[in-house]
Amino acid sequence: MFTKKGVRRVSVTLAAMLLLSLLVPLLASAASLFRFQYDSLTGKVYGYVYSDKSSVSVSVYDNVYGKKNIVTNAAYTSVTNGVYYYRLDTPSNGELTGYSPVTATVYESTTPYVSMNTTVYSSVYVFENANTPSAPTGFAAVINGGDLFSSWPMINDPMIKTINLYMNGNKYHSNNSRNLESNGNFSYWTGIHLGYNYGGTYTMQMSVTDVAGRESPLSPAVTITAPSQPDGYRYQGQVALNGNVQDGTTFVVKDLTGNIVQNVTYNGGVVSGSTSIGRYEISDKDYSGTYTDRLYYFFDLPNKAYTLTVTTNSKTRTANMEAPNSLWSIPVSNVSFAGVYVNLIYFYSNFASTPVYLFNGFEQGHYMQPNEGIVKFTPAGSNANYLYVQFPYDKWPYGGLTSSNNSTTLYADKLAAADFKLIKSSDNSLLEIVSAKADSRGLLKLSLSSKLEAGQQYELSMSSTSGGNEIKLPLWSGTKFNANVQTRIGETQYIFDYVDYSIADQTISVSASSTQTPSTPSIPSIPGIPSTPSTPSPTNGEVKLDPKGVTVTKETGADGKPVTRLTINADMMGKALGLLKDKDKGARSVTVEASGTEATAKIDIPASSLTEALGSNLDAVISIKSDAATYNLPINLFKDLTSALKSDLKDVKVTVSISKASETVTQEIKKANADVKQLLDNPIEFTITAETSKGSKLDINDFGGTYVERKILIPSKVDSSKTTAVVIDPTTGLMKFIPAIITNADGKSEVTIKSSHNSVYTLIERNKSFNDLNGHWAKADIELLASKLIVQGITDTNFSPEQNVTRAQFASLLVTALGLNEVAGSVKFNDVNANDWYSGAIGAATKAGIVDGVDNGNFAPNASITREQMSIMISRAIKAAGKNADVTSTQDQTLASFTDRGAIHDWAKSAVAQVVDAKIVTGLTDNAFAPSDIATRAQAAVMLKRFLQYMQFIN
């Protein structure tokens, strides 16, 4: 009997050539596509097989030992339109170790399909039958009236998944609609209708992509030329009635000489009137057939310019309908018509008189007290049952970070409907307020039990039972704060009454406190604290540590670079933190100025100075401002130092380091990321170390899910859509996305990085695009996230937006979006192995509480993710990032618009309600959530972008 060590091997090349020459006829008609790897050290096999048969076996061929079966009669993982997908993932097998195979074979019953390519990486052998599909033949394109019609004969190949249409060399459209007919054949689309630009010349081609993602060469080109002018024009648009009645709405179209060419009226779904030329259609349903609060219209007319006057409920709006010079066709029978879209026509109802804001002129930091008035207003129309009040806030920076300085603060945990009263002035009757909600930037949302009446004045005020601690005006004084009031029909539906856009928001004044002195005009003095040079004092929401409480020394680091060390006086820091206990004064941080610190700043903070603040659970921040960056450290990061170091805080020193990376490290990072433009000369590293007097040390690099801010100032203005903060992987040197917000002002940019761990950070500029997104509805969102290193394409040039997303892929995307470090070797699921590409991401997601298994200790990483599963992961990610939103009381109301809400599992309803309320996930239509539908890569990217903006992790 032969042993593995006792046999001489024959020529690998010769044996492979002999075997392949015998099997060439079979390869030409292969019905299987496969790619998998075999590890000769462990005997493990991993990869995939696509086949049109419901059972396959796999073997490898070794020159010495011959054929070895590695998978026999494999069970398929999934089946789509008659194509079976097999996921190969066998455990380590000592019986299969030690082989050096030259080929692999997939058997469909007894029919073999042999690998055409074998690649060897050390002990790992990779096999695939890499037949790229042939270029399609028989492709045709022609212009017929308003259609650019492309067609291709049907084929019967189960391995072809997608048909790709190219226009002028760019991928314009992909179609993966394939049907399995009763006769066993596959049918594909035989044509597609496209618009075109008049006078344009088009070179049309197509390709096909197989189920393994391999795209064929392009078909022979077909060149066509469009007519220079259309036969007529279709003017179409929408009228947003916003609470006004639909019946009796008239549409009058005039030509440029003033002659009426169309005069029609909409009444209860019936359109009547007269027309001298052309055609018309008016509908109260949108393009999906759903009833809305709008009317949709189109007019087919012969000339390039008209005016449209719409009248409803005694209100009139006029819009110009003018065809641009660049026109595109629309499919209208066999007539060459150009599509012209008119802007949406709005019928807002403004208030009968300008609202009066009763808090105008209140002093900075003022808490709204019991019975104090908020606003007086008179609606112009009836039916509104929601009232929104935007308290004073600073509009700039739009969508940026806010604080108690420039926005009114609404304390959501203290707000209740009973804190407010709404009175109708004519009879002093009280309208019941059902619920009160706090939104961002000082927006108060009130739900009313009955509808407001047109022409009646109402006054909203704090109730006599309010606590005087629910609403606090901005801490800055000024005369240019903004405020507004709205009435709405439904919380998320259309506006009924609004402050007229011609006067924009009302300008509100916030006065300086009467206790202020001229020397500190922005912040009132604090009673009981002596104003001496050695005592810190609060300014603009912060307490600045007196320089006399800081000892500065100069040192030389291990790399020979200068280091500036700042040693904080324990007593001074303790007093500064003590000032933050007075919440009415608004200060939330102690600032340590560390300017002139050159390459590295090290700040030594005696932990004893934190004792009292930690004992009282003070929500405070120590803000360290160095030349390189500002580091805002919540003091609760140090709450476990005593137990971790087994030492009293009086014996512990905390050292915070902010340093620019050395030139050697900087060059290594640039080398590892050669294709990325970096905006900082040197990346910046942040570290925190705690050390006892006896020499015990603790590196504090993981903040347990707390996102800590670092601010970096760039001397020039940058584009937030192309600029990204990244963290440097310490092992590979590669860059990964980290949450950040960019604010531009005075020609400069401030980047606020939010990270739950310490590392090396830098800023990059990147603009990524994909060939297969032209014309796609999610193009902008996908390319934004790709530019920020959050999502990746299937290839460098293609994204495949309509491909399904797996549970592992979406969990990995959320881990990336949150800027979490991967956690290797701690996965608890039976079907997630340590060497799977997604193992570290699922470990991080599990640790953060974002993911859970499906059953029996499994995660089902390669199963396509459903919309409700995605909603659960997003909801948990919101919580993991420190933002909680209890929607239990409004869950039924939020889901009420979905007729399929009963299909949402009970365990998912709260999460679905939360992400719908946050506008992260929307229904597939206005009245269908489709909880069990599979999500595509495009949908996942759009939801991810909305999640990041909701969390203020990107602009």
Side-chain angles (χ1 to χ4, degrees):
M1 182 175 180
F2 292 109
T3 63
K4 294 180 182 178
K5 295 182 179 179
V7 179
R8 294 185 58 190
R9 297 180 178 273
V10 299
S11 168
V12 172
T13 304
L14 179 60
M17 290 177 63
L18 288 172
L19 181 61
L20 288 174
S21 66
L22 293 173
L23 295 170
V24 165
L26 292 174
L27 293 176
S29 59
S32 285
L33 296 176
F34 60 83
R35 188 178 194 275
F36 59 86
Q37 63 187 32
Y38 157 75
D39 189 336
S40 64
L41 294 181
T42 64
K44 181 176 174 59
V45 177
Y46 180 80
Y48 64 82
V49 176
Y50 288 96
S51 171
D52 60 351
K53 299 296 187 295
S54 60
S55 180
V56 298
S57 299
V58 181
S59 68
V60 294
Y61 181 83
D62 183 284
N63 279 334
V64 176
Y65 307 109
K67 173 184 171 183
K68 297 296 296 184
N69 294 326
I70 56 176
V71 177
T72 302
N73 296 325
Y76 60 84
T77 305
S78 61
V79 59
T80 305
N81 288 333
V83 177
Y84 296 87
Y85 167 69
Y86 298 85
R87 177 175 177 263
L88 304 181
D89 189 7
T90 66
S92 300
N93 186 347
E95 295 296 321
L96 292 177
T97 59
Y99 297 108
S100 300
V102 293
T103 61
T105 305
V106 171
Y107 290 88
E108 294 179 344
S109 184
T110 59
T111 304
Y113 297 100
V114 181
S115 60
M116 298 186 66
N117 293 322
T118 302
T119 309
V120 182
Y121 303 95
S122 184
S123 64
V124 178
Y125 295 75
V126 181
F127 305 100
E128 60 182 328
N129 61 339
N131 281 328
T132 299
S134 301
T137 58
F139 174 70
V142 66
I143 285 181
N144 179 21
D147 280 335
L148 192 164
F149 184 75
S150 301
S151 63
W152 182 53
M154 291 185 291
I155 63 170
N156 182 29
D157 185 348
M159 293 299 120
I160 296 301
K161 180 180 181 181
T162 305
I163 292 87
N164 311 299
L165 184 63
Y166 284 78
M167 179 184 288
N168 297 333
N170 296 315
K171 185 179 291 186
Y172 189 81
H173 180 81
S174 293
N175 186 300
N176 61 0
S177 297
R178 176 183 55 188
N179 300 304
L180 181 63
E181 306 294 345
S182 59
N183 59 7
N185 291 333
F186 293 90
S187 65
Y188 297 82
W189 58 271
T190 57
I192 186 168
H193 300 260
L194 300 172
Y196 55 83
N197 286 329
Y198 287 93
T201 298
Y202 300 94
T203 300
M204 308 297 297
Q205 293 171 281
M206 68 162 291
S207 68
V208 296
T209 303
D210 65 22
V211 292
R214 296 185 288 235
E215 185 174 356
S216 74
L218 295 178
S219 67
V222 177
T223 301
I224 55 178
T225 301
S228 59
Q229 291 293 328
D231 298 327
Y233 304 87
R234 167 161 290 186
Y235 298 92
Q236 54 190 322
Q238 306 170 32
V239 177
L241 297 165
N242 294 299
N244 291 284
V245 295
Q246 292 181 334
D247 289 354
T249 301
T250 62
F251 296 78
V252 178
V253 179
K254 296 180 180 180
D255 62 21
L256 294 185
T257 63
N259 294 320
I260 296 177
V261 297
Q262 303 270 14
N263 187 350
V264 295
T265 301
Y266 172 92
N267 264 309
V270 178
V271 183
S272 60
S274 62
T275 174
S276 60
I277 55 174
R279 299 174 296 189
Y280 63 84
E281 183 175 318
I282 313 293
S283 176
D284 51 13
K285 297 179 182 178
D286 64 14
Y287 306 114
S288 66
T290 303
Y291 286 98
T292 70
D293 67 307
R294 299 180 178 185
L295 290 177
Y296 298 79
Y297 66 86
F298 75 73
F299 299 97
D300 288 343
L301 297 165
N303 296 325
K304 292 188 66 174
Y306 298 87
T307 62
L308 169 63
T309 300
V310 182
T311 302
T312 187
N313 198 24
S314 302
K315 296 178 180 293
T316 298
R317 299 286 188 271
T318 298
N320 292 323
M321 301 194 305
E322 184 173 356
N325 292 327
S326 177
L327 297 170
W328 63 95
S329 72
I330 57 173
V332 183
S333 301
N334 293 321
V335 182
S336 174
F337 263 67
V340 178
Y341 293 88
V342 178
N343 290 334
L344 180 62
I345 300 171
Y346 286 99
F347 279 88
Y348 281 122
S349 294
N350 300 315
F351 287 97
S353 60
T354 302
V356 177
Y357 299 94
L358 303 177
F359 47 67
N360 191 13
F362 282 9
E363 67 183 33
Q364 62 193 68
H366 174 79
Y367 281 90
M368 296 296 296
Q369 297 300 304
N371 296 316
E372 282 189 337
I374 298 173
V375 62
K376 290 182 179 181
F377 62 95
T378 304
S382 301
N383 296 330
N385 59 348
Y386 275 81
L387 178 64
Y388 284 16
V389 179
Q390 174 66 73
F391 283 85
Y393 76 106
D394 184 358
K395 272 189 171 182
W396 190 93
Y398 180 76
L401 295 177
T402 61
S403 69
S404 57
N405 289 331
N406 61 345
S407 293
T408 297
T409 302
L410 303 183
Y411 295 97
D413 58 334
K414 299 174 183 177
L415 274 177
D419 293 324
F420 304 93
K421 60 183 177 181
L422 181 61
I423 296 177
K424 185 167 68 171
S425 301
S426 61
D427 59 5
N428 287 324
S429 59
L430 192 67
L431 273 73
E432 181 185 357
I433 297 173
V434 178
S435 66
K437 293 171 60 177
D439 212 330
S440 61
R441 301 175 72 91
L443 178 61
L444 174 67
K445 295 181 177 180
L446 300 177
S447 170
L448 311 178
S449 63
S450 57
K451 297 176 181 178
L452 297 170
E453 299 177 35
Q456 292 288 336
Q457 185 185 68
Y458 295 87
E459 179 174 344
L460 177 70
S461 61
M462 305 300 297
S463 70
S464 59
T465 58
S466 61
N469 60 354
E470 300 89 358
I471 301 173
K472 183 176 69 175
L473 297 184
L475 290 172
W476 283 348
S477 61
T479 60
K480 296 181 180 180
F481 287 94
N482 300 99
N484 67 50
V485 61
Q486 308 169 24
T487 67
R488 293 180 174 233
I489 301 177
E491 182 177 4
T492 59
Q493 297 182 36
Y494 50 84
I495 295 169
F496 188 76
D497 287 300
Y498 200 86
V499 177
D500 195 325
Y501 279 110
S502 64
I503 59 172
D505 292 331
Q506 294 288 304
T507 299
I508 298 299
S509 170
V510 177
S511 68
S513 171
S514 59
T515 58
Q516 288 179 308
T517 62
S519 60
T520 56
S522 296
I523 298 295
S525 60
I526 301 179
I529 302 297
S531 179
T532 63
S534 60
T535 304
S537 59
T539 305
N540 287 344
E542 63 181 353
V543 173
K544 290 187 177 180
L545 197 64
D546 193 291
K548 293 182 179 180
V550 182
T551 301
V552 180
T553 57
K554 297 290 184 178
E555 303 173 0
T556 301
D559 57 357
K561 299 289 186 179
V563 175
T564 302
R565 184 175 293 275
L566 287 76
T567 303
I568 306 299
N569 179 278
D571 183 57
M572 288 291 292
M573 177 60 79
K575 287 182 179 180
L577 289 171
L579 290 177
L580 302 185
K581 291 182 179 180
D582 189 349
K583 294 183 179 180
D584 288 341
K585 305 308 176 186
R588 305 306 320 130
S589 66
V590 173
T591 300
V592 178
E593 293 287 350
S595 58
T597 50
E598 302 175 358
T600 300
K602 290 184 180 292
I603 298 87
D604 294 331
I605 304 172
S608 59
S609 65
L610 310 176
T611 303
E612 186 175 347
L614 290 173
S616 60
N617 294 316
L618 185 64
D619 181 18
V621 171
I622 298 175
S623 181
I624 300 172
K625 298 183 177 181
S626 76
D627 293 342
T630 297
Y631 198 3
N632 294 328
L633 290 170
I635 63 170
N636 62 19
L637 294 181
F638 310 115
K639 65 181 185 303
D640 297 326
L641 283 183
T642 298
S643 58
L645 289 170
K646 294 179 175 57
S647 177
D648 193 278
L649 287 181
K650 65 182 178 61
D651 298 320
V652 177
K653 175 184 68 177
V654 176
T655 300
V656 180
S657 174
I658 306 174
S659 60
K660 295 180 180 179
S662 67
E663 196 59 36
T664 300
V665 172
T666 300
Q667 291 306 316
E668 290 176 353
I669 293 171
K670 288 182 177 180
K671 184 178 179 180
N673 304 273
D675 61 336
V676 178
K677 178 182 178 181
Q678 299 190 44
L679 301 180
L680 298 180
D681 292 335
N682 299 88
I684 302 174
E685 182 175 13
F686 299 83
T687 64
I688 304 175
T689 304
E691 184 177 3
T692 68
S693 57
K694 296 181 179 180
S696 298
K697 286 187 177 182
L698 175 68
D699 291 328
I700 306 174
N701 292 320
D702 189 326
F703 303 148
T706 299
Y707 281 79
V708 176
E709 290 186 354
R710 302 137 173 97
K711 295 179 182 287
I712 299 174
L713 187 65
I714 303 176
S716 59
K717 188 175 179 180
V718 300
D719 185 345
S720 63
S721 66
K722 298 177 182 178
T723 302
T724 301
V726 294
V727 62
I728 308 300
D729 187 301
T731 303
T732 64
L734 297 177
M735 298 173 174
K736 298 190 295 184
F737 167 83
I738 206 75
I741 288 288
I742 298 172
T743 304
N744 293 320
D746 301 325
K748 300 177 182 180
S749 296
E750 184 179 68
V751 182
T752 302
I753 297 172
K754 304 176 183 182
S755 176
S756 60
H757 51 80
N758 270 330
S759 190
V760 179
Y761 302 90
T762 190
L763 305 175
I764 65 170
E765 183 179 287
R766 191 168 182 261
N767 189 20
K768 179 64 178 174
S769 60
F770 297 101
N771 295 339
D772 59 351
L773 292 182
N774 291 331
H776 195 279
W777 63 272
K779 172 182 171 69
D781 289 352
I782 293 170
E783 293 185 346
L784 171 68
L785 297 194
S787 298
K788 292 185 173 294
L789 302 177
I790 300 171
V791 302
Q792 298 178 356
I794 296 299
T795 67
D796 188 55
T797 57
N798 289 333
F799 184 78
S800 296
E802 301 308 314
Q803 182 174 311
N804 293 345
V805 179
T806 67
R807 287 168 51 81
Q809 289 169 344
F810 192 68
S812 179
L813 286 173
L814 282 174
V815 167
T816 300
L818 291 169
L820 301 179
N821 286 326
E822 292 192 355
V823 178
S826 63
V827 179
K828 65 178 182 179
F829 302 111
N830 301 328
D831 54 354
V832 178
N833 298 311
N835 57 350
D836 289 332
W837 68 265
Y838 44 73
S839 173
I842 292 180
T846 303
K847 179 180 177 183
I850 297 170
V851 301
D852 210 344
V854 290
D855 55 34
N856 299 324
N858 294 322
F859 180 72
N862 295 306
S864 295
I865 193 168
T866 65
R867 286 167 51 80
E868 69 176 358
Q869 289 174 346
M870 186 178 286
S871 298
I872 290 174
M873 286 194 191
I874 294 173
S875 175
R876 291 171 177 170
I878 291 172
K879 182 178 181 180
K883 192 169 186 176
N884 293 315
D886 185 5
V887 297
T888 304
S889 60
T890 59
Q891 174 180 303
D892 292 343
Q893 181 180 349
T894 300
L895 301 179
S897 61
F898 299 127
T899 57
D900 60 349
R901 57 187 177 275
I904 303 173
H905 287 90
D906 290 341
W907 42 262
K909 284 184 177 178
S910 176
V912 171
Q914 181 184 10
V915 297
V916 169
D917 185 66
K919 297 179 175 61
I920 297 172
V921 182
T922 60
L924 284 187
T925 67
D926 288 343
N927 58 7
F929 184 77
S932 298
D933 277 20
I934 301 302
T936 65
R937 285 168 54 81
Q939 292 170 347
V942 171
M943 293 177 194
L944 206 61
K945 188 212 74 168
R946 293 172 184 162
F947 162 73
L948 287 165
Q949 290 179 332
Y950 174 76
M951 295 302 303
Q952 293 191 325
F953 280 1
I954 62 173
N955 289 78

